[in-house]
């Protein structure tokens, strides 16, 4: 690592002066936000509002839609596995494919594969959705590593939370645009093409900002004693965190994949609200992320995760308890509010629990999160085959909410068993 002992004559830390890319905290945070809007909001979750359009166009069935969703989540799992294994299995390749490069590869692949979904070659859609999921994982892991370190080096670590508003912004934007496309009777292929153009345009301002290696100024690094103490965190605490975080992947994914379809089946007639519930979840995600920036450093992140899991569980079941416009709207908001808060605090807690192997542990918990996501669509598909559509979705949502409650209970146990020492 470069020498970062004091500051240069230009007033920047020497390690940062040697690194390329922006050294302006707000530019970094906004670029990270835009990158996750591409990789997650478009690459992963644009499929949710477009699924009813694809069903209406007759290009897929609901079972095929479930499989396309599963392929995307399998891709996310593969990307998380790649992020975990690359530094160990191919260290020389990792020297070239460092986090900033992975981010750029991820958003570029997302734009290309989204455009390809507009082509009438359905036999390749599974591969394209898998590739988009892989790209979203390597983008998320790259941004988590690069932006958190760079912002800490610049003395603005709290801005890292804003990066995770990106998925919510992407979800809200694609959801609103899809609602307009439905009103104008567009075909789903046109929607994929429009989102690809949007992704490509967002890539332009990101490119010069996220570049080079992130350098950490020693003034913001933990002392050796602190790092050693954190590295000694019990294995059981790490296991509980990894499993609980994985449960959150299952907990939200049924709603995140099928909300517009579920709402259309529950609401009478052709309610325009059915296409707006998913954007409401996206707005909720942005609000929740911005609110999380008010969290104080001394707060135990596990307690924040307990609250976030329970709020999301309430959102998942609210549409069942109150199956009308108000119920779906409030439920969507509650599902969205903690959506990226869970990701931000979950990945940051992973870095706290195992700082000496932070990137690998972040990748590992992302793998378990991916496994949780993968199990959602096949579960729904199986339930739909053995019951009516309404009963199948109802049972899947109850199962998902139960996973979130279990995850919250695991974090509560962790807090009681290993109280966090003030650092």
């Amino acid at each position: 690592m470069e020498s970062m002992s004091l500051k240069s004559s230009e007033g920047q830390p020497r390690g940062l002066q040697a690194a390329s890319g922006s050294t302006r905290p707000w530019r970094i945070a906004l670029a990270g936000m835009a990158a996750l809007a591409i990789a997650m909001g478009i690459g992963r979750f644009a499929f949710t509002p477009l699924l009813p359009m694809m069903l209406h166009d007759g290009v897929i069935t609901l079972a095929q839609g479930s499989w396309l969703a599963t392929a995307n989540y399998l891709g996310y799992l593969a990307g998380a596995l790649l992020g975990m294994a690359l530094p160990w299995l191919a260290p020389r390749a990792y020297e070239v494919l460092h986090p900033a490069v992975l981010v750029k590869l991820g958003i570029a692949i997302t734009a290309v594969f989204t455009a390809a979904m507009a082509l009438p070659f359905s036999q390749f859609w599974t591969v394209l959705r898998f590739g988009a999921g892989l790209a979203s994982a390597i983008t998320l892991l790259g941004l988590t590593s690069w932006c958190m370190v760079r912002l800490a080096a610049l003395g603005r670590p709290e801005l890292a939370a804003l990066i995770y508003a990106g998925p919510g912004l992407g979800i809200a934007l694609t959801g609103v645009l899809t609602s307009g496309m439905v009103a104008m009777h567009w075909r789903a292929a046109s929607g994929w093409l429009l989102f690809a153009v949007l992704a490509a345009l967002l890539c332009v301002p990101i490119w010069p900002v996220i570049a080079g290696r992130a350098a950490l100024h020693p003034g913001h690094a933990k002392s050796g004693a602190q790092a050693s103490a954190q590295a000694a965190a019990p294995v059981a605490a790490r296991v509980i965190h990894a499993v609980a975080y994985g449960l959150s992947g299952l907990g939200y994914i049924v709603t995140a994949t099928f909300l517009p379809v579920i709402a259309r089946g529950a609401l009478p007639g052709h309610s325009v609200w059915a296409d707006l519930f998913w954007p409401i979840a996206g707005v909720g995600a942005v609000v929740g992320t911005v609110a999380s920036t008010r969290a104080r450093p001394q707060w135990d992140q596990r307690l924040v995760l307990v609250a976030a899991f329970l709020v999301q569980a309430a959102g998942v079941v609210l549409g069942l308890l109150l199956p009308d416009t108000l119920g779906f709207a409030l439920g969507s908001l509650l599902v969205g509010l903690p959506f990226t808060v869970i990701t931000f605090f979950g990945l940051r807690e992973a870095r706290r629990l195992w700082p000496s192997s932070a990137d690998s542990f972040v990748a590992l918990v992302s793998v378990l999160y991916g496994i949780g996501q993968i199990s959602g669509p096949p579960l729904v598909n199986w339930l739909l085959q053995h019951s009516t559509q309404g009963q199948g979705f109802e049972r899947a949502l109850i199962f998902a909410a139960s996973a979130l409650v279990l995850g919250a209970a695991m974090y509560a146990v962790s807090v009681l068993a290993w109280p966090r020492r003030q650092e």
Side-chain angles (χ1 to χ4, degrees):
M1 182 178 292
E2 315 98 41
S3 172
M4 292 171 283
S5 54
L6 302 177
K7 293 192 176 182
S8 69
S9 58
E10 284 85 353
Q12 292 292 343
R14 288 181 180 173
L16 284 174
Q17 188 185 31
S20 57
S22 179
T23 56
R24 297 181 180 179
W26 277 99
R27 288 191 66 190
I28 293 168
L30 292 175
M33 185 189 301
L36 284 188
I38 296 170
M40 308 289 283
I42 295 176
R44 294 189 61 205
F45 296 119
F47 179 77
T48 300
L50 286 175
L51 176 59
M53 293 178 67
M54 297 177 77
L55 294 172
H56 180 267
D57 293 346
V59 294
I60 58 170
T61 64
L62 189 55
Q64 290 168 336
S66 297
W67 172 241
L68 287 179
T70 302
N72 186 258
Y73 308 144
L74 281 170
Y76 183 91
L77 174 61
L81 286 169
L82 177 64
M84 182 174 62
L86 188 61
W88 301 96
L89 299 181
R92 290 186 178 180
Y94 188 66
E95 286 296 311
V96 178
L97 297 173
H98 56 79
V101 174
L102 291 177
V103 170
K104 291 181 177 180
L105 278 175
I107 59 177
I109 290 171
T110 299
V112 172
F113 281 20
T114 301
M117 285 294 296
L119 300 176
F121 304 120
S122 58
Q123 63 269 30
F124 298 116
W125 287 351
T126 300
V127 175
L128 294 173
R129 295 308 295 154
F130 179 90
L134 189 150
S136 69
I138 65 173
T139 302
L140 175 62
L141 293 175
L143 277 171
T144 298
S145 179
W146 194 91
C147 289
M148 283 189 177
V149 172
R150 180 62 68 92
L151 288 171
L154 292 167
R156 299 297 304 273
E158 74 282 0
L159 290 182
L162 293 179
I163 295 166
Y164 293 86
L169 286 172
I171 288 169
L173 182 58
T174 57
V176 170
L177 289 175
T178 301
S179 180
M181 288 185 281
V182 170
M184 294 185 290
H185 305 290
W186 282 27
R187 296 183 64 84
S190 300
W192 286 112
L193 190 58
L194 175 62
F195 294 154
V197 172
L198 177 61
L201 291 175
L202 285 174
C203 283
V204 176
I206 296 171
W207 221 256
V209 175
I210 300 177
R213 296 184 180 278
L216 185 61
H217 187 269
H220 302 285
K222 293 183 179 296
S223 69
Q226 288 174 310
S228 176
Q230 285 194 358
V235 172
R238 299 174 192 166
V239 171
I240 285 177
H241 174 63
V243 174
Y245 186 71
L247 287 172
S248 71
L250 171 61
Y252 89 96
I253 203 61
V254 175
T255 301
T257 305
F258 299 105
L259 176 59
V261 177
I262 295 171
R264 284 173 181 269
L267 296 179
H270 300 283
S271 173
V272 296
W273 280 97
D275 296 313
L276 295 176
F277 295 131
W278 185 234
I280 289 174
V283 172
V286 175
V287 173
T289 303
V290 174
S292 72
T293 63
R294 309 297 297 176
R296 298 184 178 183
Q298 63 267 32
W299 290 3
D300 191 326
Q301 294 170 149
R302 294 168 296 178
L303 291 175
V304 177
L305 288 167
V306 169
F309 273 52
L310 293 179
V311 168
Q312 194 164 71
V316 169
V317 299
L318 190 56
L320 299 177
L321 300 176
L322 195 63
D324 56 18
T325 300
L326 178 62
F328 278 111
L330 290 176
S332 300
L333 184 63
L334 292 179
V335 168
L337 278 171
F339 174 47
T340 48
V341 172
I342 290 173
T343 301
F344 173 62
F345 283 99
L347 297 185
R348 197 164 75 170
E349 177 69 5
R351 300 183 76 87
R352 185 189 74 85
L353 286 172
W354 205 346
S356 61
S357 299
D359 289 348
S360 295
F361 191 46
V362 164
L364 174 61
V365 300
S366 298
V367 167
L368 295 180
Y369 187 87
I371 291 172
Q373 290 179 133
I374 289 167
S375 60
L379 170 67
V380 170
N381 197 34
W382 185 85
L383 290 171
L384 290 176
Q385 290 176 355
H386 293 81
S387 60
T388 65
Q389 180 169 311
Q391 290 175 332
F393 280 129
E394 178 180 343
R395 292 167 183 171
L397 290 171
I398 291 173
F399 190 87
S402 300
L404 288 166
V405 172
L406 177 58
M410 293 178 70
Y411 279 123
V413 168
S414 178
V415 171
L416 294 174
W418 302 284
R420 180 178 171 184
R421 290 172 290 183
Q422 293 299 319
E423 299 165 0

